[in-house]
Amino acid sequence: MADDYFAYLSERSFVRILLRRLFMMPIVRFFKGRVLDIGSGIGEFLSYYPEAVGVDINADCVAQCRNKGLACVQADVAHLPFDADLFEGVLLNNVLEHLNDADSLFHEIRRVLRDNGRLVIELPGSKGFAHDKTHVRFWGKNDIVPYLAGLGFCDICISYFPIPAASANDLFIHNKLRVYAVLRK
């Protein structure tokens, strides 16, 4: 499974990489300061945002990031190897839907994210969720918003992209739900 994931990320076309970079622009503008990219993959966000540090469970992904000169460590998301209150932002780009235990992840996010720290979560729509056999839990707007609010996140904003309509998530594999939030400790 790890080899399949690394191959999937590494074999993206130039056009798809360019589109992903374009779609990351609002995320980059939302963040300020040091950002932790959880599930950093092959380092797309890390190479675009110089103050980012990545963490991934896949050793091949971490090695590729390091070969590019990017800051990345291998770790389990339930045990992040960082001090408390170290980051001004956290990015979860297509990670949450792969986890059985979101509570452990968010315990760690709350620990490493400073007060007023910013969080961005990108999730597949229902069509994209069904398309990937490694997805274990679907998170829609009505799932993620109350969950985050219960953890002390506020100013929660939802958007859909590249087609800015919730119904597009039911029709197109690559349409996403993006969540922006701020932590209040």
Side-chain angles (χ1 to χ4, degrees):
M1 186 79 68
D3 291 338
D4 292 342
Y5 175 67
F6 179 72
Y8 164 75
L9 292 177
S10 300
E11 294 169 3
R12 287 185 176 152
S13 70
F14 174 75
V15 171
R16 191 149 176 229
I17 291 169
L18 186 64
L19 285 173
R20 284 186 55 83
R21 184 167 274 225
L22 179 68
F23 294 148
M24 280 187 206
M25 290 175 73
I27 294 173
V28 169
R29 286 193 301 265
F30 180 71
F31 286 131
K32 294 174 177 27
R34 194 167 191 192
V35 173
L36 176 61
D37 181 4
I38 298 175
S40 56
I42 59 172
E44 291 169 316
F45 180 77
L46 301 178
S47 61
Y48 195 46
Y49 192 90
E51 293 181 74
V53 175
V55 62
D56 205 291
I57 198 163
N58 185 296
D60 293 328
C61 289
V62 172
Q64 181 156 343
C65 288
R66 288 180 178 168
N67 288 341
K68 293 178 186 176
L70 304 171
C72 190
V73 297
Q74 185 177 4
D76 182 324
V77 296
H79 306 286
L80 296 173
F82 303 104
D83 292 336
D85 301 318
L86 185 62
F87 296 98
E88 286 85 19
V90 170
L91 173 63
L92 290 174
N93 188 339
N94 294 292
V95 172
L96 194 54
E97 66 275 11
H98 294 276
L99 304 177
N100 285 313
D101 181 15
D103 293 341
S104 294
L105 167 64
F106 278 97
H107 172 78
E108 284 295 277
I109 288 173
R110 286 182 45 78
R111 185 182 65 77
V112 301
L113 188 59
R114 291 181 179 168
D115 187 37
N116 294 314
R118 297 173 177 209
L119 172 69
V120 176
I121 303 172
E122 192 170 289
L123 298 160
S126 57
K127 184 85 169 185
F129 180 84
H131 182 72
D132 187 336
K133 64 182 184 254
T134 67
H135 292 163
V136 297
R137 180 174 176 191
F138 178 75
W139 292 83
K141 175 183 176 180
N142 294 332
D143 303 304
I144 194 66
V145 170
Y147 182 79
L148 291 176
L151 293 172
F153 287 91
C154 63
D155 301 330
I156 302 169
C157 298
I158 300 291
S159 65
Y160 300 93
F161 80 97
I163 301 170
S167 59
N169 281 8
D170 299 331
L171 301 171
F172 302 103
I173 291 171
H174 296 293
N175 218 66
K176 306 285 184 180
L177 169 67
R178 190 174 281 166
V179 183
Y180 299 89
V182 176
L183 178 63
R184 300 280 194 254
K185 289 188 177 182

